[in-house]
Each structure stands twice: as structure tokens, then as C-alpha cells.
Amino acid sequence: MRSSPKNKLSHDAIKAWRVSLSIFISFLVLGLFFLWGYKLLSPEAGFFSTWTLIAISVILIVITGLGIFFIPEIRWRRWFYEVDEHEVDLQSGIFIITRTLVPIKRVQHVDTRQGPILRSYNLADVTISTAATTHRIPALNEEVADQVRDQISKFARLAEEDV
Amino acid sequence: MFELQRQHPAAALANAFDIIRANFITILILVFVGSGGREANFTLYWIIGAFLFLLIWGVISWYRFEFSVEEGELRIEQGVFVRKKLYLTSDRIQVIDISAGVVQRLFGLVAVEVKTAGSSSKEAKISAITRVKAEKLKTLLRKKTEKTEESQEAEPIAQRKVYALDTRDLLIAASTSGRFGVALSVVGVAFSQVEQLISEEQIIHFVEKVIPQSTNATMIAMSIFAVIAIAWLFSFAGTIIKYYDFVVEVREDELLISRGLFERTQLTIPFNRIQAVQIKEELLRQPLGYASLVIESAGYGESEGNSTTLFPLLAKPQIYTFVDEVIPDYNTEISEKNDVPSVALRRYLFRMLWISLPVILVVWSTIPYGVYSWFLLIPALLLGYQQYRDAEIARGEDTLILAFRLLSKTTAMVKKYRMQSCQVQQNPFQKRLSLANLTVHVASGNQGRAFTVRDIDISKAMDYRAWLANGKGGGSYISHEDNSEPANETFDDQDANQ
């Protein structure tokens, strides 16, 4: 698509996404260990056959590899945003590229959010809500996030509201 | 002014029925599925017990519910265990609905529902008061909002246009109801439960005795036919009950819709709350040349997926006169119209193929005579072709028009300044053909509603998006920046601070 919005997310986003994905995957791995343990201790009683378990393990390894080493990088590279006095313009997506436009007039509230992982990298999400939808600019630098939030709310106050 | 008071005691009964009605499907399933194998008496005790419990609950919640109007505010205190106080200022109130259900009618009462943007409507429902009180409450709460709006248009109520659905149209609407599909699935589930009620021997006996020449195939055909017939009857009755005596009254600054056979519902929709208008040409109605009108309004109720039927049945030539007379804002001249490019046809066809293939394969492999399910491909592909033909995007002065079809053809009209957000989406396959989907979100009820046209030309999509971005509110607050350039490319922060 032509002329992407010009701002990028913080480069630390990649690390933060890797960490949060690793945590999620480690739960899956834990579950898998239980299944394997169960299988090895009582071979005939297991819920899955050995081959199913092997297949699940392989799939999990592939997903882990893709998810941790490639996807955060690509996701970061494909994420752009831009805020001006008329609109918020977002572009994201790895396979399906989504270009979102939110007129500033329609913004009902903006906030920044920060979980423990994002905080450890000094990152924050900016969430933009309208009467119909909610949009998120993920993993910006804390200062940038605050700035974006204040900017949007300033522009939104300037533009008159009727809904 | 209203002092602090309770509702009419009938509210206890109404509350109990409300709970039953809200969970009707669950209860039905529990009774159907749960009773299998156990004694009928047991189930009966359960039902009576549950009903008594609900009644007691209704009485307690009636006792704990008090409301008053003070300082232009509707104040409600309610809650059995957790005490909730709800204060609604009159200028925040958007819709006041007065309706009368079966229970209310029995006692000659009405229910009043007050709706604001955002708050869940259930909380501000007074389930039983006298009509006199309800009207008084309405005028008390309406007064303030009207005052602010009357300053702009101090015209007295000059002409009141009223549109009613006549009996013939009601019957047509009922027999071609779009709720047919829903009814079909419900009846289908119920039918599958028949097995539990009647033993197999009885069925075989019945079959041998009544239809001796029947083969397996005719059996299947007959049961399918029976399910369809019953479902059709249900949807027929449902539509009649819902749209009986349907009347739309056009007032100075709001629409008043009243409808219903057993339960009269009255809806008030101020014009300035209307977010989008849809013309729906349902599958069964389209060949007869009929369509229905649906409006999306902000902060209004939860029924029917947050949209309201403005008129259940209109012959196609009538639609535009109706729109012109009832919601003239939406009768715009189209200045540009774009079809889906012909390269997109294959995407429309393939999409239907991917959707129908799994169904066909499953049916083929599980059901006797399942081979015939391959014939499903014909209507599926025809539907895909029709979807391709119907998809269209157009714009007038400040109105965006999106036409698309899933089963029924929908033509959505959205004011530029009502759009909440807009998305252009492109997947790798679309990229090769330089196509994209355009989605527009409007506010409707507590969430929003999205309208999507698939596979339009990417440059057109971006063009429309830029045009939408330039929306300056249809002239209501034109500011200094009368810019005709596409906004997504030019503006940056320096320009913003001029």
C-alpha cells in the first residue's frame, strides 16, 4: 500500500514481545511435559498416542521458533502509525495488512497501558477508543506513548464532538 | 416532581417473567435435554420450585427498587444484596421507551426503559407503573433535552407523518421473514430430541403403518420438509407477533416506532442519534421486489444486535420516497459509483468454494445419500457470483454507500461525519490482484457495527479512505482548513499548529 504512516514502534518492542510470547509458550511446554510424563509412566492409559504427542511437540517447536525468532521482528517492521490534527493513521499486519483510520473527532478517550513486561522495557501501549471501536498502538517508548496520548487528547479536544 | 417511590407491585411478577424470558432458550434446553430418562414428576417439581424462587426474588427486588425524579434527574435505587444507585441526568438520556408486556397489560400498566449511551439499559428499567405516571415521567425527563434543541428550531409541530404497515404487507413480511434460518436451527435441535420422547419401535411402527411404500430417501426428504415447514410456521408467527400494527410516526426531531401484538413496544429515536441506514434485501424478499429498512442508532438498546427496524417491508420503488420523507438526510445524489473489478470475481467464487467444501465433505462422508450434497456447489457458486455482482461502493456529497451481500443484499448508507473508524485490509492474494477490503465502523448501541465491501480496487479503497478522512462534519463545523488534498499523505505535525 502506498505511503505508509511515518512513525515506527520502539525497537524494544521486539524484545518485549519475545518475552511475553516465551512466557505463554512455556505454559504450553509445561502442559506438554505433563502429557509426556503421563505417557511414559502408564503407556497404555494415555489420552494421546505416542505419534500424536510427537506431532504436537514438533508443531510446538516450529511455532516457538517462528514466534520467538521471526514474527516479532516482522511484526515490528510492518507496524507504522501517525497522528495529526485530523486523524490517527495505523498500518499493521504480517500477512493481512490493515490500514486503519480514526478521525480525531471521533476519539472518545485515549489511555496508555503498561503490563509488567512492557514496564521492564520502559514501554507502554496507547489505546484509542471511539464509540464503536478500540485501537491499540502497541509498545511505544514510555515518553513517546505519553506524548502521543496527550497529543491525541489535545487534538480531540480541539475538534468539536457531537457523538 | 416524583417523590421516592416503589413500582406497582405487579413489577414482582414482571421481573420473574423477565428472567424466564431472558433465559428461555437455556430453560428449553435444560427441560428437553435434562429430562431425558428421569421421571416426569421430578422435572415438574423442579419447574415449580424454580418458579416459586423467581417469584420470591421478584417480590424482594420489587421491594428494594425505588425511583424518583429530582432536579431533572432520574434516580433509581435498587439491588437486593448490593445496593446500586443510578442517577441519570435528563440531558444524558437519549431514548425513553414505553412498552407493555403481557404482565403489564394484565394490570393495565406499562414499563419504562431509559437508555443512555454506554450504560447498560437493563439497569434503568422501571418494569411496572401506571401509564399516567409513565407519561408524566417522560415529559419530566424529556423537557430539558427538548429545551436545548428547541432553541435551534422553534417551529411548532407542523405536520406529523405517520406510516403504517398494512395487513397485506405484514403477511408478506411474515411469510418471507429472514428469521427463518434461526427458526430452522431451533426446530432442527428440537427435532433431534424427538428421538428421546418417542421410542424407535414406535417410529418404525408408524412408518410401516402409515407410509408402507416409503423408502429411506422419501423418509429423509419428508423429514427435511417437515422441519422446514415447522420452522417457517414459527418464523411466520414470530414476525406477526413482532411487527403487528407497525407504525412509524415522524416527529419534528425524532421518530416514534410502535409495534407488537402481545407486547406493544414503543421506541423513540431522535434523528441526531441515527448513525447509519441499511436497506436489506432479504433472500426471500428480493425476488418479490421487497426490502426492509434498518437504522443503527447510538446508545440504543440491545435488541436485534443494536439495530432497529425502521420499516419491515417496502416495495423497492417505494424505498426512496420513504427515505426521502422519513429520513431526508439519507436521500443523497450519488456522485461516484464503483463496482468491484472483474479480477475479483475469482476471489468471490473461490471464497464460496472454500466455505462449502468442508460442509459437502462432511455430509458426503457421514450421511446416506450424502453424495447429493455436491449439488450444494451450484447454489454456493451462484451466491458467490451474485455477491460479486452486488458489491459496490458509492459516494454522494457527504454520504458513503456500501453495498454487499452475505445471503441478503445490504446497502448501508453512512454519513461521512458519523464514521468512527475506517479500515483498508489487504492479504497477499489480494495484493497480487491489487484488491483490498474496505470496512467502515459506525457507533451502534454499546458496541459498534462494521460494514465491509470485499475486493475493491486498492487505489479506489485508499481514495475513499482519504475522502472519509477529510470529513469536516458535513458543514456543521467547517473550520479554516478547507483542504482538498488527501489527508494521509500531506499533513504532519508542523502543519497542525498553524
Side-chain angles (χ1 to χ4, degrees):
Chain A
M1 279 183 218
R2 64 191 192 203
S3 64
S4 303
K6 62 179 182 192
N7 301 317
K8 298 203 58 74
L9 307 179
S10 160
H11 200 268
D12 288 339
I14 301 173
K15 289 183 227 160
W17 287 336
R18 272 184 190 149
V19 171
S20 61
L21 197 77
S22 312
I23 291 171
F24 174 69
I25 281 180
S26 62
F27 278 107
L28 292 184
V29 170
L30 212 66
L32 193 67
F33 273 141
F34 270 114
L35 286 179
W36 271 114
Y38 196 63
K39 184 90 213 163
L40 294 177
L41 290 177
S42 55
E44 71 286 343
F47 187 68
F48 293 109
S49 75
T50 318
W51 285 109
T52 327
L53 272 185
I54 290 172
I56 292 175
S57 313
V58 169
I59 290 170
L60 196 63
I61 289 166
V62 171
I63 288 175
T64 311
L66 282 178
I68 290 180
F69 295 107
F70 293 103
I71 289 177
E73 175 88 35
I74 301 170
R75 191 175 164 208
W76 178 82
R77 228 184 285 153
R78 298 271 166 96
W79 237 110
F80 302 93
Y81 72 95
E82 193 172 333
V83 176
D84 67 29
E85 64 167 333
H86 301 293
E87 67 199 34
V88 179
D89 192 358
L90 312 171
Q91 179 176 332
S92 66
I94 294 170
F95 295 108
I96 299 169
I97 295 166
T98 306
R99 186 81 185 264
T100 307
L101 176 138
V102 185
I104 284 281
K105 282 195 200 93
R106 301 280 146 249
V107 174
Q108 289 199 324
H109 61 264
V110 233
D111 41 22
T112 45
R113 289 169 197 207
Q114 200 178 36
I117 300 166
L118 288 182
R119 193 176 311 140
S120 64
Y121 287 98
N122 288 324
L123 299 174
D125 292 348
V126 177
T127 312
I128 304 157
S129 307
T130 68
T133 49
T134 305
H135 308 274
R136 200 162 64 110
I137 309 176
L140 296 178
N141 253 333
E142 258 173 342
E143 305 89 68
V144 180
D146 288 344
Q147 213 180 314
V148 167
R149 183 197 59 209
D150 294 344
Q151 207 177 19
I152 293 175
S153 100
K154 195 186 91 197
F155 288 151
R157 252 179 290 125
L158 289 177
E160 269 176 83
E161 263 288 289
D162 69 340
V163 169
Chain B
M1 286 286 120
F2 270 67
E3 291 91 63
L4 199 62
Q5 57 185 285
R6 295 210 170 83
Q7 310 168 83
H8 189 279
L13 208 58
N15 286 344
F17 273 110
D18 267 356
I19 298 174
I20 293 177
R21 208 173 46 172
N23 301 304
F24 191 67
I25 305 277
T26 328
I27 293 170
L28 214 65
I29 290 171
L30 280 180
V31 171
F32 259 124
V33 181
S35 64
R38 254 177 274 145
E39 291 166 59
N41 271 347
F42 190 69
T43 324
L44 198 64
Y45 290 145
W46 265 107
I47 292 173
I48 292 171
F51 188 70
L52 275 180
F53 174 77
L54 282 179
L55 215 55
I56 293 166
W57 179 264
V59 171
I60 298 172
S61 56
W62 164 76
Y63 183 77
R64 298 283 284 175
F65 186 106
E66 287 174 306
F67 67 96
S68 63
V69 179
E70 274 164 58
E71 296 160 27
E73 252 183 358
L74 173 64
R75 298 182 177 175
I76 294 177
E77 287 183 37
Q78 63 175 338
V80 174
F81 296 116
V82 183
R83 204 84 177 121
K84 273 186 284 186
K85 289 187 184 181
L86 186 70
Y87 289 9
L88 298 172
T89 5
S90 60
D91 43 53
R92 282 274 153 224
I93 293 172
Q94 274 150 7
V95 181
I96 300 172
D97 286 349
I98 297 181
S99 62
V102 179
V103 177
Q104 282 89 346
R105 284 193 165 187
L106 228 53
F107 293 89
L109 302 167
V110 291
V112 177
E113 250 180 289
V114 176
K115 286 159 182 170
T116 62
S119 90
S120 145
S121 58
K122 248 183 220 151
E123 289 179 302
K125 184 176 181 183
I126 299 167
S127 7
I129 55 171
T130 57
R131 182 166 278 280
V132 184
K133 273 189 189 173
E135 292 296 341
K136 205 175 144 200
L137 193 73
K138 193 172 176 179
T139 44
L140 268 178
L141 294 174
R142 268 260 161 253
K143 208 179 275 170
K144 216 166 185 182
T145 38
E146 249 139 54
K147 227 181 270 166
T148 51
E149 270 154 31
E150 256 165 16
S151 55
Q152 302 165 353
E153 278 178 83
E155 235 174 290
I157 310 148
Q159 83 283 40
R160 276 190 180 175
K161 284 178 268 180
V162 175
Y163 299 87
L165 184 72
D166 58 36
T167 319
R168 183 179 149 267
D169 283 355
L170 177 66
L171 289 177
I172 296 173
S175 43
T176 57
S177 164
R179 286 191 288 174
F180 182 63
V182 182
L184 196 65
S185 54
V186 172
V187 174
V189 170
F191 222 68
S192 68
Q193 292 299 321
V194 167
E195 260 179 286
Q196 293 193 5
L197 300 178
I198 310 166
S199 75
E200 207 159 316
E201 291 99 78
Q202 274 172 312
I203 294 179
I204 292 170
H205 187 70
F206 172 81
V207 170
E208 281 174 346
K209 219 174 171 188
V210 181
I211 16 179
Q213 276 90 35
S214 73
T215 62
N216 242 342
T218 49
M219 262 313 280
I220 290 173
M222 274 180 64
S223 48
I224 288 175
F225 181 75
V227 167
I228 289 174
I230 294 169
W232 182 82
L233 276 179
F234 267 110
S235 77
F236 185 84
T239 312
I240 297 251
I241 289 169
K242 193 171 170 199
Y243 292 137
Y244 183 80
D245 196 12
F246 191 103
V247 178
V248 184
E249 191 184 322
V250 186
R251 293 190 173 175
E252 196 185 343
D253 49 11
E254 60 191 19
L255 290 170
L256 189 75
I257 299 172
S258 42
R259 59 167 169 80
L261 180 57
F262 298 120
E263 191 176 321
R264 286 300 283 176
T265 315
Q266 266 192 13
L267 312 167
T268 319
I269 300 158
F271 285 121
N272 58 2
R273 307 303 308 170
I274 296 177
Q275 304 289 315
V277 177
Q278 291 178 68
I279 301 170
K280 288 199 167 174
E281 293 165 47
E282 286 87 350
L283 211 53
L284 290 173
R285 285 178 192 164
Q286 198 181 13
L288 302 172
Y290 287 107
S292 61
L293 273 178
V294 173
I295 48 181
E296 306 293 330
S297 53
Y300 169 73
E302 50 203 53
S303 57
E304 226 179 287
N306 298 317
S307 42
T308 318
T309 303
L310 175 59
F311 212 75
L313 193 84
L314 280 169
K316 261 202 200 138
Q318 285 177 340
I319 290 177
Y320 290 97
T321 37
F322 185 86
V323 167
D324 191 35
E325 282 167 21
V326 177
I327 31 172
D329 282 358
Y330 284 87
N331 193 16
T332 39
E333 223 168 284
I334 291 168
S335 58
E336 191 190 336
K337 204 176 194 176
N338 296 102
D339 279 326
V340 171
S342 50
V343 279
L345 175 58
R346 66 179 105 154
R347 285 191 46 78
Y348 277 89
L349 293 180
F350 272 120
R351 191 177 302 124
M352 288 315 295
L353 189 66
W354 299 141
I355 292 172
S356 51
L357 261 187
V359 179
I360 289 172
L361 290 178
V362 166
V363 173
W364 189 23
S365 57
T366 50
I367 295 183
Y369 301 101
V371 201
Y372 293 112
S373 64
W374 281 101
F375 284 115
L376 266 179
L377 267 185
I378 298 168
L381 291 179
L382 280 177
L383 180 63
Y385 180 66
Q386 197 56 43
Q387 287 175 337
Y388 157 76
R389 292 250 321 243
D390 287 333
E392 188 182 85
I393 181 164
R395 61 186 167 196
E397 190 194 343
D398 57 356
T399 314
L400 175 73
I401 298 165
L402 302 166
F404 52 89
R405 172 193 291 275
L406 289 173
L407 276 169
S408 315
K409 183 183 174 185
T410 306
T411 309
M413 299 181 274
V414 181
K415 289 283 166 199
K416 212 167 154 182
Y417 52 92
R418 291 295 189 201
M419 179 202 66
Q420 299 289 336
S421 72
C422 156
Q423 274 182 345
V424 175
Q425 266 190 340
Q426 190 178 50
N427 66 30
F429 303 107
Q430 287 174 313
K431 197 170 184 175
R432 264 198 347 224
L433 303 171
S434 62
L435 299 172
N437 298 348
L438 180 78
T439 304
V440 169
H441 295 270
V442 295
S444 168
N446 294 335
Q447 314 105 27
R449 190 167 205 88
F451 302 116
T452 304
V453 178
R454 291 174 187 278
D455 299 322
I456 55 175
D457 194 70
I458 176 75
S459 58
K460 274 281 160 261
M462 291 308 283
D463 186 27
Y464 272 90
R465 182 180 179 277
W467 174 74
L468 284 166
N470 257 345
K472 299 289 188 295
S476 60
Y477 27 70
I478 291 173
S479 42
H480 51 280
E481 69 282 317
D482 209 31
N483 226 313
S484 56
E485 281 170 286
N488 61 321
E489 293 173 352
T490 48
F491 299 127
D492 53 25
D493 292 345
Q494 290 98 291
D495 291 349
N497 307 322
Q498 42 183 272

